[in-house]
Structure formats: C-alpha cells, structure tokens
Amino acid sequence: MAQAALKPDRRNAPDENIDWKRVVHLLLLSRGLDEMEEKRLVPEKKILYQFSARGHDMAQILLGLNLTEKHDAACGYYRSRPLLLALGVDPADALGSAMARSGGYSDGRDIGVVFNYPNLNGASALPMCGGVGSQYTPTAGWAQAISYFSKHLKNKDYDRAIAVVLGGDASVASNGFWSALTAATTQRLPMLFYIEDNGFGISVPSTLQTPDGNIAANLAAWKNLTVLDGDGCDPEEAARLTKGAVALVREERMPVLLRLRVPRLEGHSFQDTQAYKSEALIRSEWARDPLPRLRDYLVPAVLGEEEWQEAVSSARTAAERARIEAESRPIADPETVTSNVFFEGPMQTMGGQYPTGYRPPEPTETAASDGQRINMVTAIRRTLDHEMSINERVVLFGEDIGPKGGVHAVTLGLQEKYGATRVFDTSLSEEGIVGRAVGMALAGLVPVPEIQFRKYAEPAIEQINDCGTIRWRTNNRFAAPIVLRMPGGFFKCGDPWHSQTNEVAFVHQPGWKVAVPSNAEDAVGLLRTSLRGNDPVIFFEHRAMLDHPWARRPYPGDAFALPFGKAKFVCQGNDITIVTWGAMVPRCEEAVDGISADVIDLRTLMPWDRDAVLSSVRRTRRCLIVHEDLGTGGFGAEIAAAVADKAFIDLDAPVSRLTMPDIPSPHNPVLLDWAVPSAERIRRKITDLLEY
C-alpha cells in the first residue's frame, strides 16, 4: 500500500491535541545546546565531536512527542538529539555525554552524539551506532519482538507499541536499510522508517544515493508499505505527517516510510565548512529554517509575543543550567574502563531475559550419560528443543532453517513442533539476520540466529561488532545476549567459501564469548550455558564433527551445562602439552598414541583456560599448539605469547605451532589433506619437540 500524503487539516490551524508550548521549549533548548557547543564548547575543546541538528530539530521533536507507549522504541543516528530531548532525556546528560564526562550515556566511553536511553516507563532510545545504516535492522528486530510479545505471548502491553528508526537520505543506500525494509514488509512489522532528507550525505548529493534523490517516490510501489512524503520545515505539515505516520503504524500494525525534506543548516559536523555548497543554496536552506516558521505559525494563534520571548529566555536558562551541571561532572576513573565488557553485575537496565525476572533451572556439570551415542547434529537439535520447550522467549531463525531444517539438518523438525513464529526462515541477508537478533535481544527475547557458513558472516561483521560492544559502550545500561550459531571448517572437501574457520576474528570482537565444541557432549553443555547466559555468544559448529564417529557421545541430560573458560584434558601425560580445539582434537589424540602427553581441548576461545595450559606447560616443559585456522594471526599466536610470557623459564623447547598455511581452504581432497594438519604431521612435530 502506498500513500502520497495524509489528508491536510483544511482549517490550517494548530492541532489542539499537540502540546505546542512543549514543542517550542524543546526546539529552543535544542538550538541553545547546538549554539553553545558551536560557539563555546567546541572551540574550548570541551567537546570533540559535534553534529548540529538545526533544521532537523522541529520534525524530530514532533515525532518524539508521539511516542507515548511503554514499549515504543526509537533508534536514531548522530543528529538525533532533539528526539532524545522529546523522549525525556535530561539536557545535562545530553551535554555531559557530548563532553565525555562520567554519567550520561556511556561514562565517556562513546562519542556523545550516539545516544542510548533505557526507559522502563516509556519510550526508549535503542543504543545508536556510529556506522551509517547500522540502526535499521536492530529496530526491525525490536518491531518483530513487539509482534512476538503481542501475538505469541499475548502480552497486551505490546498491542500498540511501535519501533521507529531515524535515518538520513544517504543511509537509504546502506545494506541495513534494504535488509530492514525487506524484513519489515515481508513480516508486516509495526515499524516506522523516518527519513530526514537534507539533500546531502556530508558532501555527496542525495541523487547519488537513490535515483533522483527521492526514496519515497522510488518506493511508491513497494508492497506492504505506506509511503508518506512532505516538508519537515512546515509546522502544520510536519505535525500532521508525524502524527499520522505513528497512528498508521499503531493501528494497522504495518510498516510506514515517512520522508521529510529538511535543511541541514550547519555542516555535517563542526569541522565541515560546506565549501561544496553554493552561497545561493545555503541562503535557500536558511530560508526554510523551521524555527521562524514555527514562530509565525504559533504567534499569536497559540502563544502571545510575550510568551514566546519567555520561552526563549526559559530555554536559554535551561541550556546554561545543563552546561553548568555537565561541566561539574568528573572524568570517569580510567581504571573502570575495562569493566562491563561482559556481564559481571549489577544487571543491565534493558536487554536480555534477566532484567524481566528470568531465572534458569539449576544446571549441573555432571553428565547423565545413559543411552546410546548420538552425533553432534542430534545433540545440538535436542538441546535447542529442550530449551525452547521450557523458555518461550527462545526463537530460532536464519536461511533455510524452517521446513528444510537447515543445510546441516540441525533444526530439522523444530518449525513443525514450535511453529513459524519461533522457528523461521529469513531473507538472504546476514546483516539483517544478526541485526534483527540484536533488536530482539534488546527487547528481552533470546534470539538464536544461524549463519549458514562461517564465510557468510562477513556481511554481518558491523552488526557483530556493534552487538558485542553494547554493554561496554552503554556502561551496562543495555545488553544484547544472542547466540549466533555458525557452522564452518572443512567437510570431506574444502573450498574458499564454506570451509574457513577463522575463529580468531570473533575473539578479537570485544564482548563476544566464543565456543568451539569438538564433540556432542561439549556441544550440549556449552550451548545450554549460552542459551541461559547474559552475554552474546558465537557458537561454532565444525562441519566435519557434526556427524563424525569420534564426536558422538551419549546425551548428557537436560540439566547438563558447562562453564566457559574451562578446558578439558582429553589425554594426560608428562612429556609435552598439546593445545587444540574443534576438528583437530581427535587428530591430536590419535597423534599421541604411545606418547605421554597432555592433550588439552580448550572448548572455548573467549574466555580460554590460561591456567590449565600454563600449569600443564610448567609440568611437561614443552608446548605444541595445533589448529585448523591459518598460522599468521591465528589464535595459536595468542596462546604461544601467553606461554612465552608466563612460563618461559619452564620451557625446555620453543613453543611451537602447527596450522594450515596462509591460504584459503582448497577444494580438491588431496590438496585439502595436504593443507590441514593431519595426525601424522602432528606426530612428527611432537617428535621434533621431544628430541629438541
């Protein structure tokens, strides 16, 4: 469904249902904060990043005042402070965050223009990011969570809630925009796309972002989408369109795209001189300034001249008061900057299942190993099945995981059992899969997205990075615990697209835990811990081990859970320590036949069991690290560095590594067997170290 505009108010009089005095105060306050930053705080180097909202401000405020439901949420970008003020953010928090002081949005950890606002009693602002377009898919995830709580869990508090995403005209060219648009329209989500079109992405005109520079016109025929277009500088039109767009999403429970034309009255940021704009263009933009137009619209219809001047004075006083309070705040203690990477208590304000009172069943590390051996595929499926059966917040999604049951058959039968609301296929967009999971987690669900193969995670790297840093960069105000399942590694043959491991890339993403089980029992224990945890987890499923005879184990029970950071000694001996994980574990076990060796299966790479490795090396005095990933920059280098740093004087031989060469995984099985460490090559390496 497309619609050019909502019907105009023929009276052309200010809507009596809008608190125009509040609009005036917030607009003048926003202008006062912008001016204070530009003329004083940036030149004094008290603010390092500044993005003026002048021109965008009035329409944003009108939008924010329409977000009145408890579970409404908006996600903006670096020019969204007026919206935050309308939602109720303290101006001292806004200014103090821009000054990187303690308190506020992040305790000085993040730039102050990317906001977050957990509001348990009203509309929240989801954690914003510095990457253009990265706000769209998490907002779609929040919208899908709204539908889930309302329709599946029958929670009436969500029946009228909506998700709103703000973006500029340049962001409509991003992967995130198109992925979220596809999700919102195919799933019919209660989501408002609010596009502030100022004609430029820094210096690049909007005509290079979408044909003719008008995303609304280009989407006019898009199915399941109402498209609205108008002037964000005209008070009557902006008020009518923002109010109408929000009402449409609330009532129809369908997505709406609202494009408002607004001027960017200052540069992209403080440093931007706008030399790429002609003087005539700049004059024409200032002629569209919504502030004087709002004054003309309201005086004397709503406010008298004296009341307007009082509003000016009041806003100026409020801005100065915010500055004084913000400047009085100290810099955070540098020693605190390493806190809240992972959950360590107290509980985050929003995100995940724990803030709403979830308490998991009592786990055990003791396996109840009765019954026949099962492969890792069955073990993972059975664990997902049980956790879904006892926790309605767990949802599974990805490409081909529904009726097909996944390309590796891990989710086979789960959609039939739990329905397409809880186990569902997605469009082919890894950015959308992970981004949507982030929004669902922020709303309190337990999303379990699947990336079909490790290599396919690359388009989602921005969302993966953003997800991991949410707790840290909001200083524990928000968290997004998701369990990202990801098969990878060789299987019979290899190739550059389906067979890489490269787990170290995720270890290097702050805030993520990384599990790499080698067998069915460990997969059950680590997956259950992940699903009941409070941090995002990469759960790596090695393709070669999914049905490998060695990896088969009896199902360890529905209460079995393993802690992260606790390695397992597959073999124990005195002459050498071998550290490994994943598909290399059985090869290392085979290689030490007849040799007195510790074979340590790390099981998790973040965190990893340093103590187990170091205590073993101090006893055996030799260390070999074996992994499938490439040698240069592989995780084995981290282990080797730790051993050299902490146990150097205990060594009788150099720390050694055996890995794949620095090449993609080759396809021909003969080439693959040459590249991947074999039991024979591992044994030769062990012999060399023992003879050193």
Side-chain angles (χ1 to χ4, degrees):
M1 175 172 65
Q3 183 171 327
L6 296 168
K7 291 183 179 180
D9 184 346
R10 296 301 181 188
R11 295 176 303 165
N12 199 31
D15 186 337
E16 295 178 355
N17 295 313
I18 295 175
D19 186 350
W20 289 107
K21 291 183 179 180
R22 180 72 176 155
V23 174
V24 169
H25 172 75
L26 292 172
L27 178 52
L28 291 169
L29 175 59
S30 178
R31 290 292 175 103
L33 295 175
D34 279 340
E35 182 178 5
M36 182 183 295
E37 290 175 339
E38 292 158 359
K39 293 186 176 179
R40 181 173 180 178
L41 298 176
V42 173
E44 291 175 358
K45 295 187 173 17
K46 292 179 179 177
I47 287 180
L48 303 178
Y49 282 94
Q50 197 272 341
F51 293 79
S52 173
R54 295 193 216 196
H56 291 235
D57 35 20
M58 183 187 70
Q60 275 190 32
I61 290 165
L62 290 165
L63 171 66
L65 294 179
N66 279 287
L67 301 182
T68 54
E69 291 288 322
K70 181 179 179 180
H71 297 294
D72 286 348
C75 193
Y77 62 118
Y78 42 77
R79 218 177 300 284
S80 299
R81 183 166 62 190
L83 173 80
L84 271 290
L85 295 174
L87 294 183
V89 167
D90 186 338
D93 278 350
L95 202 56
S97 296
M99 298 171 72
R101 301 300 179 96
S102 63
Y105 312 131
S106 71
D107 253 24
R109 297 170 178 221
D110 203 350
I111 56 177
V113 295
V114 289
F115 306 92
N116 67 83
Y117 181 50
N119 186 4
L120 299 179
N121 299 308
S124 297
L126 304 183
M128 303 175 188
C129 302
V132 173
S134 61
Q135 68 270 35
Y136 286 103
T137 51
T139 310
W142 184 279
Q144 189 155 356
I146 287 172
S147 294
Y148 187 85
F149 280 114
S150 174
K151 296 177 181 178
H152 185 77
L153 299 183
K154 307 301 181 184
N155 188 329
K156 293 186 178 301
D157 287 347
Y158 290 83
D159 286 354
R160 289 178 53 80
I162 69 170
V164 180
V165 64
L166 287 74
D169 50 283
S171 71
V172 304
S174 69
N175 293 342
F177 173 81
W178 291 103
S179 179
L181 186 68
T182 299
T185 51
T186 58
Q187 304 300 310
R188 301 175 181 237
L189 301 179
M191 180 173 175
L192 172 59
F193 293 79
Y194 177 89
I195 306 301
E196 304 168 66
D197 191 339
N198 63 35
F200 286 90
I202 306 184
S203 66
V204 179
S206 58
T207 51
L208 295 179
Q209 312 294 349
T210 190
D212 203 33
N214 187 339
I215 190 63
N218 293 331
L219 291 175
W222 196 277
K223 298 296 184 183
N224 298 331
L225 180 70
T226 298
V227 179
L228 307 174
D229 195 3
D231 185 356
C233 302
D234 181 294
E236 186 278 327
E237 188 168 345
R240 172 170 48 83
L241 288 173
T242 51
K243 181 179 179 180
V246 169
L248 274 172
V249 181
R250 286 206 199 287
E251 300 299 330
E252 302 296 329
R253 315 308 292 161
M254 289 279 284
V256 171
L257 183 140
L258 170 59
R259 170 187 177 249
L260 291 178
R261 301 181 303 281
V262 295
R264 194 188 71 201
L265 298 179
E266 302 292 343
H268 168 74
S269 62
F270 181 81
Q271 294 80 10
D272 179 15
T273 64
Q274 302 199 91
Y276 45 84
K277 290 183 178 179
S278 69
E279 291 185 10
L281 176 57
I282 292 175
R283 283 196 302 270
S284 70
E285 289 180 327
W286 276 99
R288 297 172 56 216
D289 184 355
L291 179 56
R293 296 179 72 174
L294 180 65
R295 184 185 183 283
D296 292 344
Y297 185 62
L298 297 180
V299 178
V302 175
L303 292 88
E305 178 63 38
E306 186 174 334
E307 287 181 287
W308 180 273
Q309 293 305 323
E310 287 175 357
V312 171
S313 177
S314 174
R316 187 178 296 119
T317 299
E320 181 62 17
R321 187 166 56 243
R323 182 198 63 78
I324 293 170
E325 182 179 339
E327 288 205 58
S328 71
R329 296 180 177 181
I331 305 296
D333 182 349
E335 293 187 359
T336 67
V337 79
T338 57
S339 66
N340 293 320
V341 176
F342 296 104
F343 173 67
E344 55 195 41
M347 188 61 62
Q348 66 269 16
T349 305
M350 288 185 71
Q353 56 190 337
Y354 283 92
T356 57
Y358 170 79
R359 294 297 177 267
E362 193 67 29
T364 177
E365 291 183 49
T366 303
S369 301
D370 295 330
Q372 67 182 36
R373 290 159 58 91
I374 58 175
N375 63 15
M376 193 187 291
V377 167
T378 306
I380 295 170
R381 183 192 306 125
R382 187 167 172 181
T383 306
L384 291 170
D385 186 359
H386 176 74
E387 295 302 304
M388 292 186 75
S389 72
I390 64 171
N391 189 352
E392 288 268 5
R393 292 180 178 238
V394 178
V395 292
L396 278 57
F397 53 96
E399 297 159 18
D400 300 302
I401 76 151
K404 182 176 175 62
V407 295
H408 301 95
V410 172
T411 58
L412 191 64
L414 294 182
Q415 187 182 78
E416 183 179 359
K417 183 173 183 178
Y418 293 102
T421 300
R422 296 190 67 193
V423 182
F424 57 90
D425 288 324
T426 68
S427 55
L428 201 158
S429 170
E430 285 75 22
E431 202 276 1
I433 291 170
V434 178
R436 221 188 311 178
V438 171
M440 291 179 179
L442 291 171
L445 297 182
V446 184
V448 188
E450 178 185 295
I451 298 293
Q452 208 164 72
F453 295 94
R454 162 64 187 91
K455 176 67 171 64
Y456 297 173
E458 303 306 330
I461 287 298
E462 180 175 45
Q463 290 296 338
I464 290 171
N465 178 272
D466 292 349
C467 177
T469 62
I470 284 176
R471 187 188 298 278
W472 180 87
R473 58 187 161 89
T474 67
N475 201 23
N476 206 40
R477 290 155 67 102
F478 282 93
I482 74 176
V483 181
L484 180 56
R485 295 180 41 250
M486 193 179 304
F490 67 87
F491 178 59
K492 296 181 180 178
C493 62
D495 67 75
W497 316 111
H498 304 86
S499 305
Q500 73 178 82
T501 55
N502 192 19
E503 316 99 329
V504 70
F506 303 119
V507 178
H508 206 66
Q509 301 279 355
W512 282 93
K513 292 185 175 180
V514 180
V516 283
S518 65
N519 61 78
E521 181 180 295
D522 288 355
V524 170
L526 294 172
L527 181 56
R528 179 161 290 118
T529 297
S530 303
L531 292 167
R532 298 180 182 181
N534 200 19
D535 289 302
V537 175
I538 301 287
F539 190 81
F540 194 82
E541 301 167 5
H542 200 290
R543 296 167 63 218
M545 308 309 290
L546 288 173
D547 192 34
H548 196 290
W550 180 92
R552 295 173 186 173
R553 302 284 191 278
Y555 182 71
D558 291 336
F560 183 68
L562 289 172
F564 275 56
K566 186 176 180 179
K568 181 177 183 178
F569 282 76
V570 178
C571 301
Q572 291 186 285
N574 299 313
D575 295 339
I576 190 170
T577 297
I578 301 172
V579 185
T580 189
W581 57 89
M584 294 297 101
V585 176
R587 296 188 179 201
C588 288
E589 183 182 48
E590 180 184 347
V592 300
D593 184 34
I595 298 172
S596 182
D598 277 354
V599 176
I600 300 176
D601 180 357
L602 285 182
R603 304 200 286 198
T604 67
L605 300 185
M606 177 54 73
W608 65 282
D609 196 343
R610 296 167 185 261
D611 291 342
V613 171
L614 292 173
S615 63
S616 175
V617 169
R618 288 174 178 137
R619 180 170 48 80
T620 68
R621 310 181 78 84
R622 288 174 171 81
C623 181
L624 172 63
I625 303 154
V626 181
H627 63 69
E628 180 183 339
D629 196 7
L630 313 186
T632 302
F635 191 68
E638 171 65 23
I639 300 170
V643 171
D645 184 40
K646 301 296 183 181
F648 178 77
I649 61 175
D650 300 295
L651 292 170
D652 287 341
V655 181
S656 188
R657 290 179 292 156
L658 183 60
T659 72
M660 272 189 60
D662 293 345
I663 59 172
S665 182
H667 182 53
N668 186 285
V670 174
L671 303 180
L672 177 72
D673 289 343
W674 179 89
V676 177
S678 63
E680 181 183 352
R681 287 174 57 203
I682 297 168
R683 189 176 181 89
R684 287 202 302 266
K685 193 72 172 179
I686 293 170
T687 301
D688 291 343
L689 286 173
L690 292 176
E691 294 175 351
Y692 182 83

